[in-house]
Amino acid sequence: PQAKEYHMQDKGAPAHMKVIVSDEGYCSPHRKVTGCPTLAAHGRALLGNHTVYKDEALMLPALNILGKRAESVLILGGGTMYAAMLALRYPWVRRVVILEISKHVLKASTDWFPDLKAASEDPRVELVIGDAIEQLAVMEEQFDLIVSDLLYSPWLKRDRTTRVPRTLPYMQRIAALLKPHGIHVTECGTINQPRHTQRMLDLN
């Protein structure tokens, strides 16, 4: 059946961003429910049954490799709060910094997903609303784990919300913010984006 659609209550949200409440879905990977919200932007799901596994693939291996050394985490993007929620499950994680460009993504996530709202209110979390790339340029703190949870949408008009930097200076800046044992994790692409995937592999 066709999904029911509920638009965000925030009147300042862009026209391309909406919350869709499906007839059936997953509000968490552990509990099947009816009427689970799916957050979409740019015509692409940011949070829902088919997206949580991407964040798990980014976060969980790195957190387990680092073990108790994973005390500080920087998430580029991540306004859905799901990646942060995964990190906060590890008791030795003391600090999670999220650089999210869209306050509307954050509002939708915390309005519709109670577990994610709780993560956003955790005292270990610092939310910075602004351009992640610009924030990186002025940051001095080093982290045990840096996660690039940024969208790469080449079919849309080029701007800071649809492209991931693919330059050596960007990667060097990431490296400068890592502790000596630190790990940087990024989504390198898909089989549908072979040129982007190869470029990300070459840079890393």
Side-chain angles (χ1 to χ4, degrees):
Q2 186 175 4
K4 299 176 182 178
E5 293 190 7
Y6 295 86
H7 289 272
M8 291 174 53
Q9 296 178 355
D10 186 350
K11 295 181 179 179
H16 61 254
M17 189 174 298
K18 60 186 177 181
V19 172
I20 302 173
V21 179
S22 301
D23 294 301
E24 186 176 84
Y26 288 81
C27 282
S28 79
H30 312 292
R31 183 166 58 93
K32 188 173 182 178
V33 298
T34 299
C36 172
T38 296
L39 173 62
H42 297 298
R44 177 176 175 177
L46 300 181
L47 185 62
N49 184 29
H50 300 293
T51 66
V52 294
Y53 306 105
K54 176 182 73 72
D55 284 340
E56 291 172 356
L58 287 172
M59 297 293 297
L60 299 183
L63 286 165
N64 283 291
I65 289 170
L66 287 168
K68 293 185 178 180
R69 297 176 298 172
E71 296 183 353
S72 59
V73 180
L74 173 65
I75 303 174
L76 312 180
T80 64
M81 297 304 302
Y82 190 78
M85 183 182 72
L86 293 173
L88 294 170
R89 292 176 177 172
Y90 291 75
W92 47 80
V93 172
R94 299 181 180 179
R95 177 166 166 76
V96 178
V97 179
I98 301 169
L99 307 182
E100 171 58 52
I101 197 170
S102 175
K103 64 181 180 181
H104 307 296
V105 169
L106 178 62
K107 176 172 171 44
S109 300
T110 55
D111 280 354
W112 289 86
F113 297 82
D115 291 347
L116 304 181
K117 178 177 176 61
S120 72
E121 296 173 345
D122 191 293
R124 294 173 288 173
V125 171
E126 178 184 348
L127 290 165
V128 180
I129 302 299
D131 190 310
I133 311 306
E134 293 178 357
Q135 295 293 326
L136 283 176
V138 298
M139 292 186 74
E140 298 181 356
E141 180 181 357
Q142 289 189 314
F143 296 86
D144 302 301
L145 173 61
I146 298 178
V147 179
S148 295
D149 195 13
L150 302 170
L151 286 178
Y152 180 73
S153 305
W155 57 89
L156 297 173
K157 182 179 178 181
R158 179 183 294 274
D159 64 28
R160 288 295 182 89
T161 67
T162 64
R163 299 293 190 274
V164 178
R166 299 185 297 173
T167 64
L168 184 59
Y170 170 72
M171 291 299 181
Q172 289 173 333
R173 184 59 189 153
I174 293 285
L177 297 178
L178 282 171
K179 294 180 180 179
H181 60 266
I183 295 176
H184 172 227
V185 182
T186 185
E187 183 180 5
C188 69
T190 70
I191 194 171
N192 295 322
Q193 302 170 338
R195 293 179 61 185
H196 171 70
T197 299
Q198 187 60 55
R199 177 63 175 164
M200 296 302 292
L201 290 172
D202 292 343
L203 286 171
N204 281 277

